[in-house]
Amino acid sequence: MLSKKERVAAVSVAASGTLACAKFVIGVAIGSLALISDALHSLIDLGATLVTWYAVRVSDKPPDASHHYGHGKVESLAALAETALLFLLAGGVAVEAVQRLREGGSAPTFSLLPFAVLAVEMGVNGWRAHVLKKTARETGSQALEADSLHFASDMYGSVAVVVGLGLSAWGYGWGDAAAALVVAVIIAALGLRMSRRTIEALMDAAPPGVRDRVSRVVSGVAGVVRVERLRVRTVGPRHFVDLAIAVPRTLPLDRVAALKGVLQDAIAATLGDADADVTITTTPVALDDESVQERIMVIARNRGLAVHHLTVQAIGERLAVALDIEVDGDMPMGAAHEIASALEDAVAAELGPSVEVETHIEPLQAPNIPGRDATAERVAALSRALADLVREHEALRNVHDVRVRETSEGEIVVFHCHIDPARSVIDVHEAVDALERDLRRRFPEIRRAIGHAEPRTADASIPASMPTT
């Protein structure tokens, strides 16, 4: 099934052929150079339209292994070929017209038939120029736009031919040659206009104003520090955007990916091109308002290290940093120490040689430890123990939802408790840690205890959840 561009081009081919043949035959019959020139112009339009019809068929093909950006440039090449034909015709007609003006050639035979044909042609060409221009705007087709300009020039050229034939009929023999020269000038002007736009497209010139519009949209998206590079080009109706932006280096990778999606949608909407191909490169940069903790966490993250309990103290004009670093529990201590020392050196390089960095190495919990739920009796025993121990901690109340799992490395106990929502996170964290330690002292077989504190509500059976402390 033919596309809209193909249908319009096919109709244009049929109309061009019929009118060109009619003008040429009548021009030869009455001896009118202006009419013959206009007919040749129309014949070239016919050839150009055939090229356009082929170009729009090829340009709609999707990208393949050899043409990664699609086949849209075929339309620019077709427009360039049409431009060359226009210049060739304009030169030939101009030479013949000037020669007749100088030598005073005979006037054409008067007849009403060419006027009737030209009137029909002007109406048809005006309609075709309008339809082709409208379709070119809707589809972004350079080839159809070139065809539209062809038929617009045909219409203006026909007006000149009518004037020339009228002058000849009134006894001014030079009128026909002068009209042919006017047609040649119109053709040449059209060729100049088309050549400039076609060459710009082939040289990947950015569409006027598009770069500034895209830059404003990108700069207004939260998370973009600055635009470092922006290149825009078109291949047929499709836009290709190459964008490089700076983002905060503290931004997690999933947030960076989400930011790219937002930018792609915003750029496509700005260009009015749902198929726009947008390539985005991000460069992480340090911001002036980064905290020391954020800078250290970025260093650890870039090294693939898990750190926690990070503290930073100002001792006079010197910084003291302490943190826990988790490594594989089966790793030799010498290798773990080298990792910790490298992290300390990286922090010192970032914050300055005077910084004091201390790391505490902890074994990383092995993933997917096989286990099973403990017996109901064991859960009940630990629940009673927790209820007894919690009385010694003023900040904690109502231990509930106790779960016990048995693993090859020991028991893992998880429990919830209520706290006063007005207490600080530090107070609650210390209280939960103390309860966990008390439980492990009473039951040494417990490998790990995890307490989850949540604010007590009016209905204690429906607690408001709070992050694990």
Side-chain angles (χ1 to χ4, degrees), residues 193-239:
R193 180 180 177 183
M194 284 182 56
S195 63
R196 179 177 60 83
R197 299 181 64 176
T198 302
I199 290 172
E200 286 183 353
L202 288 172
M203 294 184 66
D204 290 328
V210 169
R211 187 186 186 283
D212 292 338
R213 294 198 341 253
V214 172
S215 181
R216 286 194 297 270
V217 169
V218 170
S219 299
V221 175
V224 177
V225 177
R226 61 177 177 270
V227 176
E228 297 190 326
R229 184 184 70 245
L230 175 57
R231 295 185 292 207
V232 182
R233 67 188 182 109
T234 56
V235 178
R238 191 177 186 188
H239 291 82

Side-chain angles (χ1 to χ4, degrees), residues 239-254:
H239 291 82
F240 288 82
V241 180
D242 178 15
L243 174 65
I245 58 173
V247 298
R249 63 176 184 170
T250 55
L251 206 62
L253 291 177
D254 58 338

Side-chain angles (χ1 to χ4, degrees), residues 24-153:
F24 186 79
V25 170
I26 295 173
V28 172
I30 67 175
S32 171
L33 176 61
L35 191 56
I36 293 173
S37 300
D38 202 31
L40 291 175
H41 183 193
S42 296
L43 286 173
I44 286 183
D45 283 348
L46 174 60
T49 304
L50 289 170
V51 173
T52 299
W53 182 69
Y54 170 77
V56 296
R57 286 178 62 89
V58 174
S59 67
D60 283 342
K61 291 182 178 179
D64 55 34
S66 301
H67 305 86
H68 299 174
Y69 295 98
H71 300 76
K73 289 292 185 185
V74 170
E75 295 202 16
S76 298
L77 291 173
L80 190 62
E82 294 176 29
T83 301
L85 291 174
L86 285 174
F87 282 129
L88 182 63
L89 175 61
V93 171
V95 170
E96 179 66 20
V98 170
Q99 186 175 353
R100 287 200 180 190
L101 286 172
R102 292 177 60 184
E103 297 177 356
S106 60
T109 304
F110 177 77
S111 172
L112 293 176
L113 187 58
F115 290 96
V117 171
L118 289 171
V120 172
E121 186 202 33
M122 284 189 288
V124 172
N125 282 342
W127 172 78
R128 284 194 298 172
H130 171 72
V131 172
L132 286 167
K133 186 174 183 179
K134 180 180 178 182
T135 307
R137 287 179 176 176
E138 292 174 355
T139 61
S141 172
Q142 290 180 330
L144 288 183
E145 184 178 9
D147 228 15
S148 169
L149 291 174
H150 269 298
F151 294 125
S153 71

